[in-house]
Amino acid sequence: MTQQLTIALTKGRILKQTLPLLQAAGLAPVEDIASSRKLIFNTEHANVRVVILRGSDVPTYVRHGAADIGVVGKDMLLEFGAEGLYEPLDLGIAPCRLMTAGFSGRENTRTRIRVASKFVNIARRHYSSKGIQADIIKLYGAMELAPLMDLADEIVDIVDTGNTLRANGMSPLEHIADISTRLVVNKAAMRTRHDAIQEVIEALARTVDQAANRGSTS
Ligand code: PRP
């Protein structure tokens, strides 16, 4: 039997929006992922399986060839780099913005700014491109708490509805990038397993087009 293709999926909000795409593309997992503690699932396509990962680990699995294909937020690619990866398709799901945020109107008298984020590389590049000296503080979640607790002056985070910032008395300040979920492919696998990978890309591309057409006609 041919070796199965492995697609690394990002758990959480992205996974919820990926499953209908996989379903429509004939790649649905054969078990209910939500009610299982398993991490590897066969799909209704005999040659395709999926694994469930944290988004920050998806580029690593695909770069090293442990997975052939990945579904991951553009924020993760900007933060961890896309070396060794092709990015053939914007899946158009989980759209949001990467922003700086803080208390608007508050005078910042510091000569250096303190910035809390889990996106430390993106934050470093952003402030350095503006010529601002920034001390970047790495956090793993609940970034909005950092300015409230005077751990940081600003944060760099994902903004979707803006509700989390508003609920904590903050505002989005500067736009860094528009984010959506991307399909990534290991470059070596794209050569050695081209036909099988192309079949998956095309099936998902058709599904994304159909979803976009439905959206534009509704
Ligand atoms: C993200 C982000 C914000 C929130 C923004 O967190 O870190 O906290 O969503 O969404 P909003 O603009 O609609 O309020 P998420 O819930 O994904 O959890 P995380 O902290 O694990 O990233």
Side-chain angles (χ1 to χ4, degrees):
M1 185 183 135
T2 8
Q3 198 201 341
Q4 278 182 310
L5 271 189
T6 302
I7 308 179
L9 303 180
T10 294
K11 66 181 176 184
R13 188 170 18 181
I14 289 180
L15 179 62
K16 284 203 189 88
Q17 297 183 38
T18 304
L19 289 174
L21 290 182
L22 292 177
Q23 176 96 42
L27 299 166
V30 292
E31 290 169 72
D32 178 25
I33 292 181
S35 62
S36 173
R37 299 292 294 170
K38 282 171 63 175
L39 299 169
I40 305 179
F41 297 85
N42 283 320
T43 71
E44 59 192 11
H45 190 307
N47 288 334
V48 178
R49 64 179 184 168
V50 295
V51 297
I52 313 300
L53 301 175
R54 287 178 74 108
S56 49
D57 290 333
V58 169
T60 308
Y61 271 74
V62 180
R63 180 173 302 124
H64 288 275
D68 305 286
I69 298 175
V71 171
V72 66
K74 181 72 179 176
D75 51 335
M76 295 298 153
L77 300 174
L78 293 173
E79 176 65 15
F80 298 110
E83 190 194 334
L85 306 177
Y86 288 121
E87 194 187 306
L89 188 60
D90 184 343
L91 294 171
I93 54 175
C96 53
R97 290 155 294 147
L98 199 51
M99 307 276 302
T100 70
F103 297 107
S104 55
R106 178 180 287 187
E107 186 79 13
N108 190 0
T109 50
R110 293 173 192 274
T111 51
R112 296 175 75 100
I113 189 171
R114 300 165 305 158
V115 178
S117 188
K118 65 179 173 193
F119 303 104
V120 290
N121 295 317
I122 294 169
R124 200 167 283 121
R125 283 198 302 269
H126 174 74
Y127 288 95
S128 134
S129 75
K130 298 182 64 85
I132 296 172
Q133 287 202 317
D135 293 320
I136 311 291
I137 301 164
K138 166 90 182 181
L139 291 179
Y140 292 86
M143 263 78 78
E144 295 83 1
L145 194 55
L148 287 170
M149 303 296 289
D150 198 27
L151 174 68
D153 304 299
E154 292 186 3
I155 60 173
V156 169
D157 198 7
I158 292 299
V159 180
D160 180 11
T161 60
N163 288 342
T164 312
L165 286 177
R166 258 191 304 282
N168 289 289
M170 277 172 270
S171 312
L173 299 175
E174 286 180 329
H175 177 272
I176 299 176
D178 286 325
I179 303 296
S180 59
T181 305
R182 308 301 166 97
L183 199 71
V184 291
V185 177
N186 174 278
K187 281 190 175 171
M190 191 66 177
R191 283 194 299 278
T192 54
R193 313 194 62 191
H194 180 270
D195 290 354
I197 289 176
Q198 199 56 34
E199 181 192 335
V200 168
I201 295 173
E202 283 170 15
L204 285 168
R206 274 194 300 276
T207 305
V208 169
D209 280 349
Q210 282 159 7
N213 289 338
R214 268 199 307 278
S216 65
T217 53
S218 63

